[in-house]
Amino acid sequence: MTEALSYDVHGSGPGLVLIHGPGGFASTTWGSMVEQLAAYSTVVLPDLPGSGDSTRAGEPLEVATLADQIVATAHAAGLSEFVIGGVSTGAAIAIAVAARWPARVHGVISICGYAYPRATLRLNLEIWRAMLDSQDGVTRSRFLTSLLFAEPYLAALPPDAVNQLVKQLAGLAAPGTTEQVDFALAVDVRPDLAAVRAPALVVVPPVDRFVAPEHAAEIANGITEARLVEVPGGHASFFEDPQPTLDAMITFLRELP
């Protein structure tokens, strides 16, 4: 039987399972949004292998295995049916869950997501992966800061605040980041898009420099019942201003049968 990942639960109501991206943790990724979402849903936040208390993978991560682990985690948290959501690579895992477990999933949310890494994203991930080998955490954090946050957001901050943001990111890398970035480079759920039968919300910031908006368009075009919603900001749009993403998610959750 597939083992559950470590997870936190917040709120009550219909199930909502949210998957973080590579190098992160569930609590820091979704923390700014949990309180409002928990007013409508039982929010389950699993940590991917190598993040939080989830055991670090001893072999390459596989999307089918991760999808089954997410479902096992939802079951362990008491959810038989749920909406599945993810940010960045977490969105690809969410798509795989919806395709593999259609009876369990009655909604899909992709935030800054992708089905497979197109050329620019692949280059970004390859640079990140090389920096992980170099052990230069500060340079790696500067690189990620420049990609994650929108130019207007960074430009409005004083230099000291930008430096503090870089330091914070440098201290947030999960132990399993290497395996998670390798997975992000290898994942391809394009064949799963047409198998998703649940309604989908695809959230895209049009100035995302990490995962280009073309990725969101591909997801929205590939899922039969998908709605594409633009929000301001960059890849870290819901850190810069979580409310537009929250509004889109809450509207989507309210409109589901």
Side-chain angles (χ1 to χ4, degrees):
M1 182 177 178
T2 303
E3 292 186 3
L5 302 164
S6 68
Y7 64 93
D8 292 323
V9 180
H10 303 266
S12 61
L16 174 61
V17 181
L18 297 175
I19 309 169
H20 65 82
F25 302 86
S27 58
T28 54
T29 297
W30 304 105
S32 64
M33 310 175 77
V34 167
E35 184 176 353
Q36 290 193 53
L37 291 172
Y40 300 89
S41 307
T42 299
V43 183
V44 177
L45 305 179
D47 276 305
L48 295 176
S51 293
D53 292 328
S54 293
T55 303
R56 188 170 180 175
E59 55 189 25
L61 298 171
E62 298 286 345
V63 69
T65 302
L66 288 174
D68 291 349
Q69 286 181 302
I70 294 296
V71 173
T73 304
H75 180 75
L79 302 180
S80 58
E81 297 179 357
F82 48 87
V83 173
I84 187 75
V87 62
S88 188
T89 312
I93 301 171
I95 290 165
V97 171
R100 289 172 62 83
W101 297 86
R104 299 284 189 95
V105 175
H106 55 90
V108 181
I109 300 173
S110 167
I111 303 172
C112 305
Y114 65 96
Y116 87 109
R118 295 160 63 103
T120 303
L121 174 55
R122 176 169 294 280
L123 290 170
N124 289 337
L125 290 168
E126 287 173 345
I127 294 169
W128 185 7
R129 181 63 177 81
M131 287 181 169
L132 287 168
D133 288 338
S134 75
Q135 302 297 314
D136 185 350
V138 174
T139 299
R140 181 168 65 245
S141 184
R142 289 193 183 107
F143 169 72
L144 291 175
T145 300
S146 71
L147 288 178
L148 293 175
F149 295 93
E151 169 62 25
Y153 178 81
L154 291 176
L157 296 176
D160 287 348
V162 175
N163 290 336
Q164 185 60 35
L165 195 58
V166 169
K167 289 179 182 179
Q168 288 175 350
L169 279 176
L172 288 178
T177 298
T178 297
E179 294 91 339
Q180 292 174 16
V181 175
D182 284 341
F183 171 76
L185 278 162
V187 70
D188 186 349
V189 295
R190 285 175 292 177
D192 289 335
L193 293 173
V196 175
R197 292 291 175 259
L201 170 68
V202 182
V203 179
V204 55
V207 294
D208 190 340
R209 290 193 302 247
F210 202 156
V211 179
E214 287 82 358
H215 291 89
E218 181 175 43
I219 292 173
N221 290 334
I223 295 176
T224 302
E225 195 177 343
R227 177 193 309 169
L228 189 68
V229 175
E230 287 192 359
V231 297
H235 192 70
S237 54
F238 63 79
F239 288 96
E240 298 170 20
D241 180 5
Q243 202 58 50
T245 300
L246 270 167
D247 290 343
M249 293 175 71
I250 291 169
T251 297
F252 177 72
L253 293 171
R254 284 176 169 171
E255 292 177 352
L256 287 173

